């Protein structure tokens, strides 16, 4: 075991916070020096505690009702190719009881998709997708059928649809679009919205029912039988995923009529929207056959030890990839009779070239999993109740350096003392849980040189 003894400057902050505790508790050989020297102060640092890591695949994630519609494709030789499609239902509230001018005539029908603000990948590339009509009723899975109570993860609640859910749709698209992403601006303009023009026959059929006051548009249940929903399916293989705001989506039925006041022909529209966001969900397909983690299936809970990937581990939103972390010998160390834990930090280093062409997450969270591998809670800041967040930082010492995330594990490590030994529970490193279900951010950790990039450093008092 490698032991490093720091001088006063390296431990000054720790001493002030625990000075009283040390004076009361250290009744044996521990000493404290307040001079600016390298004298023994009774504190030591250990950084060779074994950290066991793995790339862990969670069960398919709940995906509905998140307010974000994702569409796109990612080519990724490390984590596998990812295709994201999005299902949604349009409501009939805008057309159920509408009065139109007698001479109103149908012009066209378009789906308006305002940018939500999030995107991931190469914005210089052209992105394309199709709009298809769903032919099968979109049904939610009741919460009691979705999870057993002891299998319900911390991020799950209510009836759901999962990332591997899918429903039949017409193979012939209603419309298609190709575009280059333009980040959302503060002032609304057409460049903030992607428009998908639907084929004329679909629009005309809907218009005829609106004009006649058919119960298929005036009655909600009959309307859902008539139009069960839609799905956006990417057709381009460019590495780009774009988010659209579910509550801002409009299916715009354009029509023209002659205005009575001046006899001028004008255009207007009926704006149908997503009336129930719980039926909107993002569905994924993952192909890892040619990836670094080809041995890890994408649709079932499993893990791939870091020892099988030269200590490279990874995580990714929406796909359910997290980095599993365990400390198999920490219990023995913490429960030594001559050790008092002052501080513990977990550092995760990622070399700069591991991010190309995808940007690293600006922050990470840690989930606490039970003995069955189910994430049941979030790691909080030590001795606080707020969720702990580790922000991306760059270590510039000696040149370019590595990116780094740091978690304070002082409370977590201290809780090992006197507790029952549990070798099955673990930590899951993940993008922020608030983003886990709505973003495809990914992170590759490690250089692939066989050295673990995740280290636990403990400052302790030996007495």
């Amino acid at each position: 075991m490698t032991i490093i003894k720091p001088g006063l400057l390296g431990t000054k902050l720790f001493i002030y916070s625990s000075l009283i505790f040390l004076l009361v508790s250290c009744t044996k050989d521990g000493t404290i020096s307040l001079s600016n020297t390298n004298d023994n102060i009774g504190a030591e640092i250990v950084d060779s505690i074994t950290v066991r890591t793995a790339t862990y695949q969670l069960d398919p994630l709940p995906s509905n009702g998140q307010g974000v519609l994702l569409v796109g494709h990612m080519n990724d030789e490390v984590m596998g190719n990812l295709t994201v499609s999005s299902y949604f239902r349009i409501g009939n509230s805008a057309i159920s009881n509408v009065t139109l001018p007698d001479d109103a005539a149908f012009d066209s029908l378009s789906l308006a998709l305002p940018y939500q603000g999030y995107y991931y990948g190469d914005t210089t590339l052209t992105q394309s997708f199709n709009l298809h009509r769903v032919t099968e009723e979109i049904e939610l899975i009741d919460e009691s059928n979705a999870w057993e109570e002891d299998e319900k993860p911390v991020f799950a609640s209510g009836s759901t649809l999962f990332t591997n859910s899918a429903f039949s749709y017409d193979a012939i698209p209603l419309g298609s679009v190709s575009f280059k992403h333009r980040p959302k601006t503060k002032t609304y303009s057409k460049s903030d919205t992607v428009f998908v023009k639907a084929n004329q026959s679909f629009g005309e059929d809907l218009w005829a029912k609106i004009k006649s006051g058919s119960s298929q548009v005036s009655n909600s249940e009959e309307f859902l039988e008539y139009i069960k929903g839609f799905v956006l399916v990417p057709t381009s293989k460019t590495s780009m995923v774009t988010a659209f705001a579910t509550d801002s989506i409009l299916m715009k039925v354009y029509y023209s009529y002659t205005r009575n006041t001046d006899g001028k022909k004008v255009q207007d529209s009926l704006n149908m929207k997503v009336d129930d966001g719980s039926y909107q969900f993002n569905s994924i397909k993952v192909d890892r056959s040619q990836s670094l983690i080809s041995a890890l299936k994408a649709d079932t809970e499993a893990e791939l030890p870091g020892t099988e990937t030269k200590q490279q581990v990874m995580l990714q939103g929406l796909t359910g990839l997290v980095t599993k972390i365990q400390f198999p010998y920490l219990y023995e160390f913490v429960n030594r009779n001559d050790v008092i834990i002052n501080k513990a930090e977990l550092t995760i280093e990622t070399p700069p070239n591991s991010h190309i062409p995808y940007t690293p997450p600006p922050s990470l969270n840690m989930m606490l999993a039970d003995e069955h591998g189910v994430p049941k809670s979030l790691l909080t800041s030590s001795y606080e109740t707020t969720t702990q967040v580790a922000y991306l930082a760059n270590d510039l010492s000696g040149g370019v350096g590595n990116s780094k995330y740091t978690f304070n594990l002082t409370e977590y490590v201290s809780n090992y003392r006197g507790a029952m030994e549990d070798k099955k529970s673990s930590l899951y490193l993940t993008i922020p849980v608030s983003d886990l279900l709505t973003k495809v951010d990914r992170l590759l950790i490690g250089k692939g040189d066989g050295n673990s990039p995740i280290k636990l450093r403990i400052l302790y008092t030996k007495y």
Side-chain angles (χ1 to χ4, degrees):
M1 181 176 288
T2 303
I3 302 294
I4 306 169
K5 295 188 177 183
L8 177 62
L9 292 177
T11 57
K12 189 174 181 181
L13 294 176
F14 303 126
I15 294 173
Y16 287 160
S17 62
S18 55
L19 179 59
I20 296 177
F21 179 79
L22 293 176
L23 290 174
V24 172
S25 303
C26 296
T27 57
K28 296 186 178 181
D29 297 329
T31 60
I32 298 175
S33 171
L34 296 182
S35 62
N36 191 14
T37 69
N38 290 324
D39 293 343
N40 190 333
I41 61 171
E44 298 179 344
I45 290 177
V46 59
D47 65 353
S48 57
I49 296 290
T50 299
V51 180
R52 184 178 295 161
T53 63
T55 299
Y56 193 89
Q57 175 65 61
L58 298 171
D59 281 331
L61 303 181
S63 177
N64 67 308
Q66 302 299 318
V68 178
L69 186 155
L70 295 173
V71 189
H73 180 88
M74 291 174 63
N75 298 310
D76 193 334
E77 62 183 16
V78 175
M79 301 183 196
N81 296 335
L82 170 66
T83 302
V84 188
S85 303
S86 191
Y87 291 78
F88 60 98
R89 295 195 326 193
I90 290 290
N92 69 327
S93 57
I95 59 174
S96 60
N97 189 27
V98 62
T99 302
L100 295 168
D102 292 338
D103 65 338
F106 174 73
D107 288 337
S108 63
L109 186 149
S110 289
L111 180 68
L113 300 164
Y115 290 126
Q116 182 262 356
Y118 172 76
Y119 57 91
Y120 199 68
D122 190 346
T123 59
T124 66
L125 302 175
T126 298
Q127 188 176 357
S128 303
F129 56 77
N130 288 340
L131 172 67
H132 293 265
R133 187 173 180 177
V134 174
T135 57
E136 182 183 2
E137 182 180 356
I138 300 175
E139 294 184 288
L140 297 178
I141 303 170
D142 187 76
E143 183 175 9
S144 60
N145 295 324
W147 301 279
E148 297 292 339
E149 191 56 39
D150 61 348
E151 296 177 348
K152 187 176 178 180
V154 63
F155 44 75
S157 64
S159 298
T160 193
L161 288 163
F162 294 100
T163 51
N164 67 342
S165 298
F167 296 89
S168 301
Y169 58 85
D170 193 334
I172 301 174
L174 290 175
S176 303
V177 68
S178 295
F179 65 100
K180 285 188 177 180
H181 181 91
R182 294 182 178 89
K184 189 173 182 180
T185 59
K186 292 182 179 179
T187 304
Y188 174 83
S189 69
K190 285 191 175 181
S191 65
D192 294 320
T193 303
V194 174
F195 289 87
V196 186
K197 186 175 181 180
N199 67 48
Q200 202 71 359
S201 60
F202 171 71
E204 288 174 347
D205 183 67
L206 175 60
W207 177 256
K209 289 176 170 55
I210 295 172
K211 282 279 283 184
S212 67
S214 169
S215 60
Q216 286 186 295
V217 296
S218 62
N219 181 279
S220 296
E221 291 184 3
E222 289 190 43
F223 178 74
L224 287 175
E225 282 294 318
Y226 169 49
I227 299 180
K228 294 178 171 61
F230 302 93
V231 58
L232 294 172
V233 180
T235 55
S236 57
K237 299 300 182 181
T238 52
S239 293
M240 182 67 189
V241 174
T242 301
F244 303 99
T246 304
D247 60 1
S248 299
I249 293 173
L250 293 176
M251 181 157 280
K252 300 175 75 67
V253 183
Y254 293 100
Y255 64 93
S256 300
Y257 66 98
T258 302
R259 192 160 52 200
N260 291 331
T261 55
D262 56 8
K264 196 172 185 178
K265 191 172 184 178
V266 295
Q267 188 181 65
D268 205 345
S269 66
L270 300 173
N271 298 321
M272 304 164 65
K273 63 180 182 178
V274 177
D275 285 348
D276 190 343
S278 64
Y279 287 87
Q280 184 275 314
F281 72 100
N282 300 308
S283 178
I284 66 172
K285 292 181 179 180
V286 180
D287 178 8
R288 293 182 180 149
S289 59
Q290 304 300 315
S291 73
L292 182 64
I293 53 173
S294 58
L296 191 61
K297 292 184 178 180
D299 56 358
T300 186
E301 188 177 13
E303 68 178 85
L304 185 64
T307 52
E308 296 185 22
T309 52
K310 297 182 180 179
Q311 295 301 340
Q312 282 186 302
V313 288
M314 52 209 73
L315 55 92
Q316 185 176 39
L318 203 63
T319 64
L321 279 183
V322 296
T323 296
K324 181 179 179 180
I325 300 172
Q326 291 179 305
F327 311 107
Y329 308 113
L330 182 60
Y331 180 86
E332 288 82 355
F333 175 79
V334 174
N335 283 279
R336 284 170 44 180
N337 292 329
D338 60 346
V339 165
I340 295 174
I341 303 300
N342 301 128
K343 189 171 184 178
E345 285 187 344
L346 187 74
T347 59
I348 300 103
E349 291 192 351
T350 61
N353 60 2
S354 68
H355 307 320
I356 300 172
Y358 303 110
T359 57
S363 61
L364 299 175
N365 281 166
M366 196 82 78
M367 297 186 289
L368 282 70
D370 64 14
E371 67 274 16
H372 304 295
V374 180
K376 286 294 188 179
S377 61
L378 298 177
L379 179 71
T380 61
S381 299
S382 286
Y383 304 105
E384 297 181 13
T385 57
T386 55
T387 299
Q388 187 169 170
V389 180
Y391 293 97
L392 178 65
N394 290 320
D395 178 9
L396 301 179
S397 59
V400 176
N402 297 331
S403 299
K404 181 188 296 185
Y405 302 86
T406 303
F407 285 91
N408 186 327
L409 295 190
T410 305
E411 182 180 11
Y412 177 83
V413 170
S414 297
N415 285 341
Y416 271 70
R417 191 168 189 86
M420 291 184 61
E421 186 173 11
D422 181 2
K423 293 187 176 181
K424 293 185 177 181
S425 62
S426 54
L427 296 173
Y428 290 162
L429 185 66
T430 175
I431 68 171
V433 173
S434 57
D435 298 333
L436 182 62
L437 312 181
T438 60
K439 294 184 178 180
V440 294
D441 292 18
R442 45 89 89 188
L443 182 67
L444 173 63
I445 304 169
K447 297 179 180 180
D449 58 2
N451 296 317
S452 177
I454 301 178
K455 295 188 180 297
L456 178 64
R457 291 170 58 88
I458 298 176
L459 176 72
Y460 67 97
T461 302
K462 187 176 181 181
Y463 66 105

